[in-house]
Amino acid sequence: MVCLFQGLHNARRIGDLTLEEYNSMGFQADGLEIQSPLVRKANDGSICKWIVNVQDRLCTLKDACEKVPLSVGFNIELKFDDEIEVSEVDLKWVIGTVLKEVAMYGKGRKVFYSSFHPDAVDLLRKLQTEYPVLFLTDGGTHIYKDERRNSIESAVEVCLKCGLQGIVSEVRAILQNPGLVSKVKDAGLCLLTYGELNNFAEALQKQKETGVDGVIVDHVLEMVTAVRNATISDGTLTSSDDIRSRDISSIVKAAA
Amino acid sequence: MALHSSILARSMNIDPAVMQQASTPANLNILYTGPRMAQFFRDHKIEDGQQSLTVLGHRGSGKNRVFSAGDTSNSRPSIMENTIKSLALAAQNGVDFVEFDVQVTKDGHAVIFHDDYIIIDDKGLHNARRIGQLGFSRLSFPPNRSNFRDGLSVSGITQCKAHWRPHS
């Protein structure tokens, strides 16, 4: 993997770092000075401090397997740089390492894999049959050179060709064209969504009605509460100021 | 399957037995498809015959927003994304799954991080106030495809760095 920033030592690819270097970056432990604070680029391209209310150190997959309660499942997304062509050797190296670690530390947890990379999901399926593999797609909200990434219809084809279990789509593609849900379901696939709109209970309600299986959300407690309340009351998901305020105060309390 | 894994194991210098374990489930009929897949996501969510949505926490308890200089944030409290605290809190708050991003270090460890590049503050070089002074604000880093279009001048950055002197 070639670093586009040669000569700029402060921007590195994960694949060019050792674990020790990775662990030394960002927040360390409470009370310790941060030697290498993380920064990030904003949408306008400027570099900004990475500011959060509750800090924690960077972690590994092994850490997560050991420290996150077994009752919660893992959706492991395998990341590959969209801007470069990832070689097959690199794909196999990354996927093989992850599969090995999940086999070693997974402890029977519910796990499924996802990736935007069509060749990666194909390999993930070929190399193991224990865990479901889902194909991630923007659903056409962003256009890529690789046609397989540009629509729900193409995603269905990828799934059927590679024997995958389902699709994770940007939610706007689904809300703009709810008829797509049945296309996915009729192919025997499951459908999850991600995106900003998944932080609105009304958007979740629409998806529930059309048969979407699951939603990836940022505003966790608020959306969990909305879904639970809908299940025990009349089945309708609505957001309320009450839920919103509870969410914020309990996040602060629980994470402090 | 076994063939694939042994080839892969050799190519990666991994003990084939470990790789075999990685790619062969103890129980061979686990693959979730069709109705089984629905169960995979919903088995504990069916109440009074009513199917509900599975909820997954994005990078744990939600992705962090990036604020550029001068951006005032009145947003909800944030927890460092893709960390144990963020994942564990999402679990505590009742999600069925946590979603997170995995990449692999050059010495073969799976780590949880979203961006293509990890950028550290280079001794105040990225202090928000100085960025404007140095003309850094127009420079763009490749991880985000929308910013990639603007192009990137590595030499421009190194030049800026070369001319930059701390106030002391």
Side-chain angles (χ1 to χ4, degrees):
Chain A
M1 291 186 227
V2 182
C3 179
L4 293 170
F5 297 98
Q6 273 159 5
L8 185 69
H9 62 273
N10 57 342
R12 312 267 304 269
R13 286 184 181 281
I14 299 290
D16 293 332
L17 296 175
T18 62
L19 179 63
E20 194 185 352
E21 288 172 308
Y22 172 80
N23 281 334
S24 74
M25 294 175 165
F27 180 83
Q28 295 297 304
D30 283 321
L32 289 181
E33 193 191 344
I34 304 174
Q35 297 292 336
S36 310
L38 297 179
V39 292
R40 227 174 184 186
K41 56 169 186 42
N43 285 334
D44 63 2
S46 64
I47 297 296
C48 326
K49 287 179 178 170
W50 193 330
I51 296 169
V52 291
N53 298 94
V54 180
Q55 270 289 9
D56 195 11
R57 52 175 308 154
L58 300 178
C59 73
T60 65
L61 177 57
K62 180 171 182 272
D63 289 336
C65 289
E66 290 171 347
K67 293 172 187 165
V68 177
L70 263 180
S71 55
V72 70
F74 282 177
N75 169 11
I76 301 179
E77 180 186 339
L78 276 80
K79 296 288 298 181
F80 298 98
D81 192 337
D82 285 343
E83 302 297 341
I84 56 168
E85 203 149 304
V86 185
S87 72
E88 199 183 340
V89 172
D90 282 345
L91 280 181
K92 286 185 170 171
W93 158 252
V94 169
I95 292 168
T97 304
V98 174
L99 295 184
K100 183 186 67 173
E101 293 199 9
V102 169
M104 283 160 60
Y105 312 117
K107 296 185 286 195
R109 186 188 301 268
K110 248 186 184 187
V111 171
F112 69 95
Y113 295 106
S114 64
S115 181
F116 280 105
H117 198 301
D119 298 327
V121 287
D122 187 26
L123 262 173
L124 275 161
R125 174 75 294 138
K126 283 180 173 146
L127 292 171
Q128 57 85 39
T129 57
E130 186 172 10
Y131 301 112
V133 179
L134 276 61
F135 183 40
L136 267 159
T137 180
D138 284 345
T141 51
H142 182 94
I143 297 301
Y144 299 87
K145 257 196 311 199
D146 190 330
E147 281 297 326
R148 295 174 292 179
R149 299 185 57 174
N150 290 340
S151 69
I152 301 281
E153 287 87 346
S154 305
V156 169
E157 275 177 40
V158 169
C159 288
L160 295 179
K161 185 162 169 271
C162 306
L164 310 185
Q165 281 60 57
I167 293 169
V168 187
S169 171
E170 158 63 46
V171 60
R172 279 176 295 169
I174 299 298
L175 291 176
Q176 281 162 10
N177 188 357
L180 289 170
V181 178
S182 59
K183 279 193 183 166
V184 176
K185 309 300 286 187
D186 290 349
L189 303 168
C190 76
L191 179 62
L192 309 182
T193 62
Y194 71 92
E196 290 295 327
L197 289 176
N198 274 353
N199 297 311
F200 296 91
E202 292 77 5
L204 267 47
Q205 172 64 21
K206 279 232 159 54
Q207 294 180 77
K208 188 182 159 193
E209 286 165 8
T210 53
V212 170
D213 295 291
V215 288
I216 300 176
V217 308
D218 291 295
H219 301 174
V220 165
L221 186 56
E222 188 179 344
M223 292 303 120
V224 167
T225 308
V227 169
R228 289 279 151 77
N229 287 350
T231 310
I232 52 176
S233 62
D234 65 347
T236 307
L237 275 72
T238 49
S239 53
S240 73
D241 290 343
D242 180 43
I243 292 170
R244 194 173 290 261
S245 59
R246 240 190 297 157
D247 188 5
I248 292 172
S249 59
S250 47
I251 281 181
V252 174
K253 217 160 76 187
Chain B
M1 220 49 61
L3 181 68
H4 269 106
S5 65
S6 64
I7 293 169
L8 181 63
R10 277 202 300 278
S11 71
M12 291 174 55
N13 237 351
I14 291 170
D15 177 357
V18 173
M19 201 60 217
Q20 183 72 15
Q21 190 195 348
S23 50
T24 310
N27 181 351
L28 284 166
N29 60 357
I30 293 181
L31 186 57
Y32 306 88
T33 54
R36 291 179 62 87
M37 193 64 200
Q39 197 186 11
F40 182 84
F41 287 111
R42 291 170 167 170
D43 53 0
H44 54 299
K45 302 294 290 284
I46 300 168
E47 294 174 31
D48 301 331
Q50 197 177 51
Q51 301 235 316
S52 189
L53 284 168
T54 293
V55 182
L56 303 91
H58 191 203
R59 305 182 198 173
S61 296
K63 73 168 178 178
N64 300 148
R65 292 176 60 198
V66 186
F67 301 103
S68 47
D71 217 348
T72 49
S73 148
N74 61 349
S75 69
R76 62 207 311 111
S78 57
I79 299 153
M80 185 68 185
E81 68 185 29
N82 280 330
T83 62
I84 297 299
K85 269 186 198 166
S86 186
L87 298 168
L89 182 65
Q92 192 185 320
N93 281 337
V95 296
D96 305 295
F97 287 82
V98 282
E99 182 269 3
F100 53 82
D101 307 285
V102 167
Q103 304 186 50
V104 171
T105 61
K106 75 174 172 191
D107 52 349
H109 297 274
V111 300
I112 304 185
F113 193 76
H114 176 270
D115 299 353
D116 292 324
Y117 287 84
I118 185 165
I119 312 172
I120 58 168
D121 190 336
D122 191 6
K123 302 269 185 289
L125 182 69
H126 291 304
N127 178 303
R129 197 172 53 82
R130 297 197 201 287
I131 289 169
Q133 292 169 351
L134 288 168
F136 261 70
S137 57
R138 294 191 59 78
L139 290 176
S140 164
F141 285 74
N144 184 317
R145 46 186 169 258
S146 60
N147 289 328
F148 193 52
R149 275 185 242 114
D150 301 334
L152 163 86
S153 162
V154 171
S155 60
I157 296 173
T158 16
Q159 270 168 21
C160 286
K161 282 181 72 172
H163 292 139
W164 181 78
R165 295 284 180 275
H167 297 291
S168 58

